[in-house]
Amino acid sequence: MAEKKGVILSGMRPTGLLHLGNLFGALENWVRLQEEYHCYFCVVDWHALTTAYEDPGDIRGSVREMVIDWLSCGIDPEKSVVFRQSDVKEHAELHLLLSMITPLPWLERCPTYKEQLQHAGERNLATYGFLGYPLLQTADILIYRADAVPVGEDQAPHIEMCRELARRFNHLYGKKVFPEPATILNEYKTVPGLDNRKMSKSYNNVIEISVPPEEIYNRVRMMITDPGRIRKDDPGNPDVCSVFAFHGIFNREELAGIRSSCKRGEIGCVQCKKNLASRMQDFLAPIHEKRRELEKDRDRVDAILEDGKARAQQAARETMEDVRSAMGL
Ligand code: TRP
Ligand code: SF4
């Protein structure tokens, strides 16, 4: 008998266009995992509201854009369940029921909570919804009885809390309703931003995967090179240069050659950047092609989300039957 495939769930907040950091930091792993697991990929629109509640903008539109980004990068709706969190109301019910058994200190001591509160700026994040962010995430995961969750390192404490809650639930109600999901740390190719810090929307240093081809060189031009290099025949240090780090992702064949000619002052930064921009254009061309097709085909994206909703709901409803019955409801 064929072994039953493990279940994976992961999610992203629809907070804007996917960028290269998301692609190499997360999505590439998802695409790979689809081959071996039964995957649920969820656009977590409720989570977007936990911080952006005052000015939500067009979350619905952002969900669509995110799905289009995912599909154009290789998420396959035939293999994986692609859906919107708010389409499966059972997540909210499980969130509520789990809140009954969640000790407040588990939420309060969460490192992401403490850190984000400090960086809240103008926003008032002293809300119930924001405190409960990792609990909603726990509900997202447990409702599909996921065996594993691929996430970045920053999310590891949330998955740890999810395991603790699964254990607590099973223990309190004497039934093994939930497995304890493992964390799969995304194999992370560090993607530097244009300014050599990590690529992140909050630093405003990203390259979106949907960046128009004619704009790519402009972004590359803004990248920070070895600041010690003034003239083009000065010897350079590729290890402090963002352009070089990007060659490591998009142009591996030439990497060693670029390193040595940079060090010997044999190539100019302008030429080096033009070369990189053209590699990136080649890499992004097929992604853009798919993106354009999907943008034209609204019905197809809607149909994928409808189908994802139906498949996710079915699994979620089955779990909720067990949850309600375990809790005596
Ligand atoms: N908290 C995650 C993030 O900010 C997004 C998320 C929500 C998630 N629910 C999830 C990730 C469930 C994995 C599994 O990146
Ligand atoms: Fe960076 Fe290339 Fe300039 Fe060297 S030649 S500093 S690798 S851009």
Side-chain angles (χ1 to χ4, degrees):
M1 205 176 78
E3 211 178 306
K4 202 164 164 281
K5 276 190 182 180
V7 173
I8 283 219
L9 176 128
S10 200
M12 271 187 212
R13 279 177 299 155
T15 49
L17 292 164
L18 203 76
H19 58 70
L20 293 172
N22 307 133
L23 174 58
F24 295 112
L27 211 64
E28 248 199 357
N29 298 283
W30 293 10
V31 171
R32 230 188 355 252
L33 289 165
Q34 313 182 93
E35 305 303 325
E36 283 171 55
Y37 291 89
H38 185 54
C39 294
Y40 291 89
F41 296 126
C42 179
V43 187
V44 291
D45 51 352
W46 282 334
H47 274 109
L49 274 181
T50 60
T51 51
Y53 60 92
E54 281 179 300
D55 185 14
D58 178 20
I59 296 186
R60 231 185 145 70
S62 306
V63 171
R64 288 185 64 85
E65 287 298 323
M66 176 151 273
V67 169
I68 292 176
D69 272 334
W70 288 0
L71 301 172
S72 37
C73 291
I75 296 296
D76 180 351
E78 303 279 316
K79 294 184 186 136
S80 303
V81 181
V82 175
F83 70 107
R84 178 184 2 236
Q85 183 186 37
S86 66
D87 273 342
V88 187
K89 310 296 182 207
E90 286 78 4
H91 290 223
E93 184 185 356
L94 184 56
H95 179 211
L96 175 82
L97 293 179
L98 289 175
S99 77
M100 309 300 171
I101 68 163
T102 306
L104 265 183
W106 290 16
L107 295 169
E108 286 162 345
R109 72 177 178 221
C110 193
T112 48
Y113 176 69
K114 289 193 285 194
E115 198 200 320
Q116 282 212 54
L117 264 193
Q118 276 168 6
H119 297 108
E122 304 277 275
R123 295 174 301 181
N124 175 8
L125 292 185
T127 58
Y128 182 54
F130 184 65
L131 178 67
Y133 183 109
L135 187 61
L136 181 56
Q137 182 167 358
T138 292
D140 297 339
I141 298 165
L142 293 185
I143 206 160
Y144 302 102
R145 304 195 227 238
D147 298 297
V149 186
V151 284
E153 212 165 351
D154 62 314
Q155 294 291 310
H158 294 177
I159 315 305
E160 178 63 37
M161 198 185 94
C162 174
R163 274 194 292 277
E164 281 171 22
L165 272 163
R167 215 173 302 145
R168 185 164 162 78
F169 185 98
N170 294 341
H171 170 75
L172 282 174
Y173 304 111
K175 293 207 180 85
K176 199 170 177 304
V177 173
F178 299 122
E180 291 176 31
T183 306
I184 302 182
L185 273 193
N186 286 334
E187 200 180 292
Y188 189 70
K189 282 192 213 147
T190 313
V191 185
L194 301 176
D195 55 0
N196 238 343
R197 294 191 287 179
K198 176 184 163 197
M199 187 177 282
S200 158
K201 216 169 15 263
S202 47
Y203 295 151
N204 203 9
N205 64 358
V206 306
I207 303 181
E208 302 82 9
I209 63 152
S210 49
V211 60
E214 61 278 12
E215 173 65 17
I216 295 177
Y217 180 64
N218 283 333
R219 301 293 179 86
V220 172
R221 223 176 38 172
M222 281 154 54
M223 288 181 187
I224 294 191
T225 57
D226 173 3
R229 225 175 161 216
I230 317 255
R231 292 188 325 225
K232 74 175 190 182
D233 50 2
D234 287 341
N237 176 5
D239 295 320
V240 298
C241 173
S242 292
V243 180
F244 186 74
F246 275 95
H247 275 293
I249 298 172
F250 294 101
N251 191 13
R252 294 206 71 85
E253 317 85 80
E254 289 186 304
L255 196 64
I258 292 172
R259 172 183 285 284
S260 62
S261 21
C262 171
K263 280 186 160 168
R264 277 179 291 170
E266 288 170 2
I267 39 167
C269 294
V270 174
Q271 183 196 343
C272 193
K273 285 177 165 176
K274 285 199 167 137
N275 183 8
L276 173 64
S278 103
R279 298 290 163 159
M280 289 174 72
Q281 272 167 8
D282 294 346
F283 174 88
L284 290 172
I287 295 179
H288 288 165
E289 172 74 38
K290 267 200 188 164
R291 221 181 179 287
R292 270 193 303 274
E293 275 171 32
L294 290 161
E295 271 167 359
K296 276 189 297 199
D297 200 349
R298 285 192 75 87
D299 292 349
R300 177 159 156 70
V301 178
D302 288 341
I304 288 168
L305 279 170
E306 274 306 308
D307 177 59
K309 172 180 171 176
R311 287 155 78 193
Q313 272 179 345
Q314 193 188 346
R317 284 178 182 160
E318 281 168 23
T319 305
M320 287 315 294
E321 301 263 322
D322 291 352
V323 170
R324 293 183 204 114
S325 127
M327 294 179 97
L329 290 166

